[in-house]
Amino acid sequence: MDTDGTHGRHGRPEPRTAGHVPRPAGPSGHPAPAHPADPSGAPGPSGLPPKPAHAPGAGPAPTAAPAAGPTLTDWLRVPRPAAGPGIWSYGHVPRAAQEPETTPTRQLISGALISLLAGLLLWSLLWNGYLGGFWLWPLYMFTPDSWAGTFPSVVASYVWYAVVALTLAIGFGRLGRWPELGRRLLGGRAVRAVDPAPRPVEPGGPDDPAQWTEVRAAGLVEAADRLGAEARAGRMNDVDYARIRRAWETVRADPSRTRAFDQAVRDKGAGACVHPSGARDLPVRAARHDLLARQVQLGTVQDGERNPYARRGSGVALDPAVLGTSLLAIGPSGAGKTTRLVRPVVESLALQALAGQAAVIVVASAGTALGPDTGYDVVIRVGDPDSVYDLDLYGGTPDPDEAAMLLAEGFVGDLPGIDVRRAATALAQLLGPFRVAHGRFPAVPELRELLDHVPVALATLRGTLEAAGQHRMLRELDARERQHGASADPGPALADRVALLDRPAFAGFFNVKDADTTGAGRPFSLRALEHPLRVRIDLPERGHADASRVLARLLLAQFNAAATARTDRSLFALLAFDDASHTLTPEAVRGIQRLRSANAGVLLTLRTLDDVPEALRTPLLGAVGCRMAFSGVTTWDGKRFAETWGTEWVETRDVTHRTVFADQPLTRAIHAFRKLVSGKAVTTDAVTVRQVERERWSASDLAHTVPPGHAVLSLTSVRGERAAPLLVRLGG
């Protein structure tokens, strides 16, 4: 039961052996049946790579004393009210939809003085009897005549006077808005009005998440007591809680696993149902996470007029509910796309992978700061001979037609004038016969020889097929030979792109030739998305830019195909590109639109939309549900965002100053004196209020008014909820 809530088993180059269990960093999805671990570590049909040859090291992280900070139980009891998309729900306090009207302080003071004088005047008139003695009738009614001139009568009179005076003070105080003036003048003191904070969950109550009431209600009292004791003693962290809760969801979906869950929890406590890597946390965290809500905080909404009043000052967070619609971020180099967006999101999904809730793959240039290697299960360094893992160019599929379509998309999907389907047909005419003849797909040098129509390679393949009696595959080769050299033949373009990978720097990579027999290279396939994996792929962008772009397009095509083909979509799958320049193709954009229903999404960052073909810029902005413009975008890019975000109705006030011309001699003299003193003519103001339709963010605003360290972000959830573009202070 140690893998409840996870799927399968895989190796890691260097598993983490942390010295303590970190505390929560701040302040779920569809339950799926868990899959038992595969003790052999052999690659299965899912494309999961085998374990590395060296030992995996220690098992689960030790449980030392917790670090200083909020305890897990306190973190669990903080309320997380339901909020809109992108709102950091941890301790969120909703605000009013509209900003209350603010009266100027001078007007408050004058109103308070006038009401005070009016109250004193009325009291004086009552006290001196100028208004008669009608206000004393309650005193005469409720005091007997025998009290006249006695001490009780005097006491009753002064009590009644105090009641009347207090009533006048309250009435005129409210009329003169004395409490508001007091709060205004004593701002920062104890009398300042504050929004009521949400009340935390009562410890030990029926809704206390630290008590594991659902587990206890199912009859697993001993397991619930063990989990509660682990949390109170500080031996459980937020990842442990999320992971075990995920495992419990699988038990609810499949009650036959109840006994295994109970036994695992009673034996190992917070270390039960651990991720196959044995890790219970990341080596280091660079962002603020809330695993209970599956959120990562990016920053805070700026408290300014450009943002709706209800959202000002609130936290901005991303979670699978919005990432499932995919996110596109545009910003120049140095704007913070990697450190303030890609790394926090990847880190959040990596933590969720440890909890058995997600799978994340990040593609970046070698050397990009995306966390240490020990924070990932699989690290593929293309072009590095010391890389433990290799990349499967064919996506782990045994179907030659599917492999041909993926390769065609990656190799020539960006070339204008090349029909991708025709290129896929040309590749299938070679891949099918080769797989029948050799039981595998061709290696890169072999595929290049076939596309270049090398006579020896074709003759050898033909001879093997003839010996095996594969006449149907021979007809495929005949068709390829007839098309070779035609004007519309995609073979030369495919051969040129394959040649980019047939370089000395990539010798030993994409090694499908020996993988089936020796396991060399440990090929990784994106078909492993059904497992809670953390994968980082480093591309050799500096020395082999064109090859890196080919691989990036291939990975995006494989991800779109693998994510939608999953039979178990309970895990949220994310593919993050630190730089998606020259990666997008028409088929890739169409594939991104289909990810929303597959519980998957992509994160794309670009320096500018000019890195995308012009015909794809508008479809790309329409395909993604979340859009982000960093500080420093150009007006050309800003225009595209402005068109995408559309317009809104706003209220405008036009003030017209008109000079006052007096008819009376005295009034003219007074106006002349005021003009002599102030230097300005006496005017009156005419205010015109109207509703006009304006762009939410104009191209000029995006290019010139977004401060450094900020971004304008709009979000859409998979349920269709939308958040208007907000100016966000990143990292705050």
Side-chain angles (χ1 to χ4, degrees):
M1 190 62 195
D2 290 347
T3 56
D4 279 354
T6 62
H7 304 270
R9 181 179 179 89
H10 54 276
R12 302 178 62 215
E14 296 176 5
R16 183 180 67 90
T17 55
H20 68 280
V21 179
R23 305 314 311 155
S28 270
H30 309 280
H35 298 275
D38 180 9
S40 64
S46 64
L48 194 66
K51 292 179 59 179
H54 51 270
T63 55
T71 63
L72 178 68
T73 55
D74 295 337
W75 173 76
L76 290 172
R77 291 164 183 158
V78 172
R80 294 165 174 85
I87 296 179
W88 175 254
S89 62
Y90 179 87
H92 174 65
V93 180
R95 299 181 66 178
Q98 298 293 333
E99 183 177 8
E101 295 184 1
T102 303
T103 306
T105 303
R106 183 174 63 179
Q107 183 176 343
L108 284 178
I109 294 176
S110 61
L113 289 177
I114 292 174
S115 64
L116 176 62
L117 293 176
L120 291 176
L121 176 61
L122 180 59
W123 173 254
S124 176
L125 294 176
L126 293 174
W127 181 265
N128 293 305
Y130 292 110
L131 298 181
F134 70 91
W135 62 286
L136 297 175
W137 69 266
L139 182 64
Y140 299 146
M141 180 178 294
F142 294 103
T143 56
D145 296 338
S146 60
W147 283 16
T150 63
F151 179 74
S153 175
V154 174
V155 172
S157 300
Y158 279 104
V159 169
W160 177 244
Y161 296 156
V163 171
V164 173
L166 181 61
T167 303
L168 292 176
I170 294 175
F172 282 94
R174 298 186 63 179
L175 184 64
R177 302 165 74 174
W178 295 354
E180 184 177 350
L181 177 61
R183 290 193 296 268
R184 185 77 58 84
L185 297 179
L186 301 177
R189 299 187 182 182
V191 297
R192 169 182 285 180
V194 297
D195 293 329
R199 299 181 61 182
V201 178
E202 180 183 358
D207 298 330
D208 187 1
Q211 296 298 318
W212 298 89
T213 53
E214 294 181 357
V215 178
R216 192 182 306 276
L220 307 182
V221 178
E222 186 176 349
D225 292 341
R226 176 69 186 273
L227 292 174
E230 296 277 284
R232 290 189 298 271
R235 293 188 295 269
M236 178 183 293
N237 65 1
D238 53 348
V239 178
D240 295 331
Y241 184 89
R243 186 187 66 250
I244 296 176
R245 190 174 186 86
R246 163 74 175 182
W248 173 246
E249 291 176 357
T250 66
V251 170
R252 294 175 58 187
D254 183 8
S256 64
R257 306 184 65 85
T258 303
R259 181 177 180 181
F261 173 84
D262 182 38
Q263 186 65 37
V265 170
R266 287 191 287 110
D267 292 345
K268 299 184 179 180
C273 315
V274 73
H275 187 265
S277 66
R280 292 168 55 184
D281 202 351
L282 296 179
V284 62
R285 298 189 186 188
R288 192 182 186 195
H289 303 275
D290 183 10
L291 286 180
L292 201 59
R294 302 180 67 179
Q295 290 185 325
V296 55
Q297 186 176 12
L298 293 186
T300 55
V301 179
Q302 188 188 54
D303 191 1
E305 295 181 356
R306 295 307 304 260
N307 293 319
Y309 178 76
R311 291 298 307 271
R312 296 176 191 173
S314 63
V316 176
L318 297 180
D319 55 35
V322 295
L323 291 173
T325 63
S326 299
L327 189 151
L328 173 66
I330 308 292
S333 299
K337 300 187 298 296
T338 300
T339 57
R340 296 177 177 177
L341 175 62
V342 177
R343 179 167 181 180
V345 171
V346 171
E347 190 175 272
S348 175
L349 270 295
L351 288 170
Q352 294 178 43
L354 292 180
Q357 299 172 335
V360 59
I361 300 173
V362 57
V363 182
S365 176
T368 305
L370 292 174
D373 293 353
T374 52
Y376 297 90
D377 302 307
V378 175
V379 177
I380 303 173
R381 298 185 180 90
V382 180
D384 186 350
D386 295 330
S387 178
V388 177
Y389 291 102
D390 194 0
L391 183 64
D392 187 351
L393 286 182
Y394 300 98
T397 177
D399 184 3
D401 293 327
E402 182 180 356
M405 180 58 71
L406 296 176
L407 285 180
E409 180 67 23
F411 286 152
V412 297
D414 63 321
L415 293 179
I418 299 293
D419 187 356
V420 175
R421 294 186 180 276
R422 190 178 182 89
T425 300
L427 284 169
Q429 290 170 346
L430 297 174
L431 296 182
F434 193 96
R435 182 170 180 83
V436 171
H438 300 282
R440 59 175 176 84
F441 288 123
V444 171
E446 295 170 328
L447 180 59
R448 181 183 181 184
E449 290 179 348
L450 294 175
L451 289 171
D452 281 334
H453 213 69
V454 176
V456 176
L458 290 174
T460 303
L461 178 57
R462 181 177 293 275
T464 305
L465 292 174
E466 290 176 350
Q470 295 290 339
H471 300 290
R472 187 172 64 88
M473 293 293 103
L474 288 173
R475 289 194 296 269
E476 291 285 309
L477 281 183
D478 293 338
R480 176 86 283 273
E481 291 182 1
R482 287 194 303 269
Q483 297 170 6
H484 178 71
S487 59
D489 181 24
L494 289 169
D496 291 341
R497 289 299 176 87
V498 173
L500 295 174
L501 303 181
D502 188 20
R503 308 296 301 169
F506 304 130
F509 278 85
F510 323 122
N511 192 4
V512 297
K513 186 175 182 180
D514 300 325
D516 294 341
T517 57
T518 65
R522 302 184 182 91
F524 170 77
S525 165
L526 267 70
R527 285 183 172 264
L529 289 177
E530 293 188 358
H531 305 266
L533 283 172
R534 304 165 293 163
V535 182
R536 194 185 77 213
I537 302 175
D538 295 341
L539 300 180
E541 182 69 30
R542 294 182 180 177
H544 302 274
D546 291 336
S548 297
R549 293 168 183 172
V550 168
L551 293 174
R553 286 191 297 271
L554 183 61
L555 288 169
L556 181 55
Q558 291 182 356
F559 179 83
N560 287 339
T564 55
R566 291 183 300 170
T567 56
D568 180 7
R569 298 181 177 180
S570 61
L571 295 181
F572 176 74
L574 179 75
L575 175 64
F577 282 97
D578 183 62
D579 184 4
S581 301
H582 308 286
T583 300
L584 296 164
T585 64
E587 184 60 32
V589 173
R590 286 190 289 268
I592 290 173
Q593 294 176 318
R594 294 190 292 266
L595 293 177
R596 183 179 304 192
S597 60
N599 196 26
V602 295
L603 170 59
L604 307 171
T605 65
L606 295 168
R607 298 183 185 91
T608 173
L609 281 173
D610 292 339
D611 292 333
V612 179
E614 184 175 0
L616 292 180
R617 294 169 191 172
T618 299
L620 174 61
L621 287 170
V624 298
C626 306
R627 308 167 188 95
M628 194 171 187
F630 280 78
S631 172
V633 298
T634 64
T635 53
W636 294 273
D637 290 341
K639 181 181 179 181
R640 296 283 185 176
F641 277 96
E643 293 174 351
T644 304
W645 284 329
T647 59
E648 63 179 345
W649 290 97
V650 296
E651 183 181 275
T652 62
R653 293 174 177 264
D654 297 330
V655 181
T656 304
H657 303 283
R658 298 179 180 178
T659 304
V660 178
F661 297 97
D663 297 331
Q664 301 298 326
L666 179 60
T667 305
R668 286 199 299 268
I670 294 174
H671 288 183
F673 178 76
R674 289 180 59 181
K675 183 176 182 180
L676 179 65
V677 173
S678 63
K680 298 180 180 179
V682 178
T683 60
T684 59
D685 296 339
V687 181
T688 303
V689 180
R690 58 179 178 175
Q691 295 284 334
V692 298
E693 191 175 11
R694 290 184 178 177
E695 291 180 324
R696 299 178 185 271
W697 280 87
S698 68
S700 179
D701 291 339
L702 290 171
H704 303 295
T705 64
V706 179
H710 292 65
V712 181
L713 171 66
S714 67
L715 298 172
T716 304
S717 72
V718 293
R719 296 182 298 272
E721 301 172 306
R722 295 181 180 271
L726 302 170
L727 180 59
V728 179
R729 179 168 60 89
L730 300 173

